[in-house]
Amino acid sequence: MTEEQSEAVRADAISPDEATVDASLRPERLAEFVGQPKVREQLHLVLESALRRGRPPDHVLLSGPPGLGKTSLAMIIAHELGTPIRVTSGPAIERAGDLAALLTSLTDGEVLFIDEIHRIARPAEELLYMAMEDFRVDVVVGKGPGATAIPLDLAPFTLVGATTRAGLLTGPLRDRFGFTGHMDFYDTAELEQVLERSARLLDVALDPDGAAEIAGRSRGTPRIANRLLRRVRDYAQVRADGTVDRNTAHAALAVYDVDELGLDRLDRAVLDALVRRFGGGPVGVSTLAVAVGEEIETVEEVAEPFLVRAGLLARTPRGRIATPAAWHHLELTPPPPVSPGPSLFDA
Ligand code: ADP
């Protein structure tokens, strides 16, 4: 299997080409953003009231698995506010000085988007506290006992942070966001809407059955839906008349090794290890990650959220457990439920 095939449904694996397509398919207004009704309504109120007050809104934190539209929402926030947006990410900010330079260059009302904000270096994070709260930073000049902190005022800005791991954010950082939007996986009807919109933009003839077939295998994730649409379009152009219907979608997704639940190689490897090597668990996530040759983070953030949602894997305090549905999915018979130990009264 090629990398391209194995990664067809990995929401975190984005090629530079795909980043360009991602950008071209991004909705620009809140009203165009499909699904997430709760976050959309809450954000609408936050933005509308800020516009009426003529002040930048509170800082916004968006949390949820990759590919659900956090970056898109950050862009929409700037667009709705009519302000520019500066984009960076937690890992890109290595030193507090980098962040101070960025913050002092922001213009009035600008949106600063920090993706993967849970990965920001600690000294930079501490600088961010005061910047978020008082629109001020202390820039330290000199070293050792002679070092002095020079306070600098910042233009009021709105920080939009995105994270796949809200639990890893420190309390002080989390507390400084006035609004947190929790993004959840999309249902099939919502993904069909995303696909219909993308098909229009990409000029692909997509019939409703084709959309349903792709939506059902997209793991609740718009980025994956859009990617599968492009793969199915390729197939339809080469092997059929270019129209994406149920048959072309079905045949194309078989070529790309995306199964009927939308599981890919990594998901199946995790389930396979859990079931065949560890008898269904419980097993710790670090052991599981070693067994499939992946980083713990990848297993936790990419494979597990969907496996849990699909009812195939459970996270318990004692470790990961395969559900009976996981055994059935691998065409195996689950072990009988453990009987409660002998009771005192049996003696
Ligand atoms: P994240 O930042 O959460 O990883 P992105 O905002 O980059 O996700 O979204 C990935 C792609 O999915 C974007 O190109 C966008 O076209 C599409 N997308 C995500 N959410 C939506 C949505 N609600 N409606 C329409 N398209 C969406």
Side-chain angles (χ1 to χ4, degrees):
M1 194 192 308
T2 64
E3 273 302 286
E4 166 76 357
Q5 284 172 335
S6 69
E7 295 193 340
V9 289
R10 289 274 299 266
D12 64 326
I14 315 169
S15 66
D17 274 358
E18 181 158 47
T20 315
V21 183
D22 257 8
S24 71
L25 293 178
R26 279 213 169 97
E28 291 193 342
R29 312 298 307 220
L30 207 47
E32 272 181 81
F33 192 85
V34 176
Q36 311 292 340
K38 191 140 209 155
V39 174
R40 228 176 39 215
E41 184 184 5
Q42 293 165 338
L43 255 188
H44 172 73
L45 294 172
V46 169
L47 299 178
E48 187 62 33
S49 66
L51 281 170
R52 289 191 190 183
R53 286 194 310 270
R55 303 275 312 140
D58 275 355
H59 305 298
V60 173
L61 180 66
L62 300 170
S63 80
L68 296 194
K70 298 182 294 297
T71 308
S72 303
L73 270 184
M75 308 264 173
I76 288 173
I77 290 173
H79 203 260
E80 294 281 347
L81 293 169
T83 60
I85 178 166
R86 207 77 69 85
V87 178
T88 184
S89 75
I93 303 171
E94 284 173 12
R95 291 169 307 147
D98 299 341
L99 182 62
L102 180 59
L103 289 168
T104 50
S105 71
L106 292 176
T107 54
D108 200 356
E110 196 162 350
V111 170
L112 172 63
F113 175 55
I114 307 186
D115 200 6
E116 297 187 72
I117 196 165
H118 61 278
R119 293 177 62 191
I120 196 167
R122 184 51 67 94
E125 176 177 330
E126 281 165 9
L127 186 100
L128 202 51
Y129 297 158
M130 197 161 66
M132 290 171 77
E133 207 155 80
D134 303 327
F135 299 120
R136 216 158 51 86
V137 284
D138 279 342
V139 177
V140 180
V141 182
K143 282 205 167 99
T148 35
I150 303 178
L152 284 181
D153 285 333
L154 303 173
F157 65 97
T158 300
L159 178 67
V160 179
T163 179
T164 48
R165 303 287 302 274
L168 290 187
L169 239 61
T170 61
L173 183 56
R174 213 174 23 228
D175 292 347
R176 284 170 170 78
F177 287 99
F179 168 71
T180 300
H182 298 282
M183 320 269 295
D184 209 344
F185 289 107
Y186 293 66
D187 65 29
T188 313
E190 291 166 341
L191 290 173
E192 287 170 17
Q193 276 185 54
V194 170
L195 285 164
E196 276 153 21
R197 181 178 171 277
S198 302
R200 255 194 329 273
L201 294 173
L202 295 171
D203 212 8
V204 175
L206 171 70
D207 84 6
D209 286 346
E213 184 73 27
I214 300 174
R217 301 191 191 203
S218 301
R219 308 160 59 90
T221 307
R223 174 176 293 131
I224 296 175
N226 284 340
R227 183 185 302 159
L228 295 184
L229 173 66
R230 295 196 303 280
R231 296 293 74 80
V232 176
R233 171 207 54 192
D234 297 348
Y235 182 96
Q237 281 173 352
V238 177
R239 303 258 169 98
D241 67 355
T243 303
V244 174
D245 56 19
R246 186 175 295 278
N247 285 340
T248 43
H250 196 272
L253 294 171
V255 171
Y256 283 98
D257 205 30
V258 177
D259 75 15
E260 65 282 4
L261 289 182
L263 302 195
D264 74 342
R265 185 193 55 86
L266 173 67
D267 308 312
R268 282 195 296 266
V270 168
L271 283 191
D272 212 67
L274 186 53
V275 167
R276 288 185 219 265
R277 288 217 214 161
F278 304 110
V283 62
V285 64
S286 50
T287 310
L288 202 51
V290 171
V292 297
E294 284 283 355
E295 302 281 328
I296 295 175
E297 270 206 347
T298 309
V299 171
E300 278 190 321
E301 291 173 25
V302 182
E304 285 190 350
F306 185 71
L307 292 174
V308 170
R309 180 169 177 264
L312 297 168
L313 178 144
R315 290 167 161 163
T316 74
R318 288 166 51 230
R320 273 47 173 178
I321 293 178
T323 65
W327 291 76
H328 292 307
H329 191 65
L330 298 176
E331 294 176 0
L332 295 169
T333 311
V338 183
S339 60
S343 135
L344 277 180
F345 301 105
D346 289 343

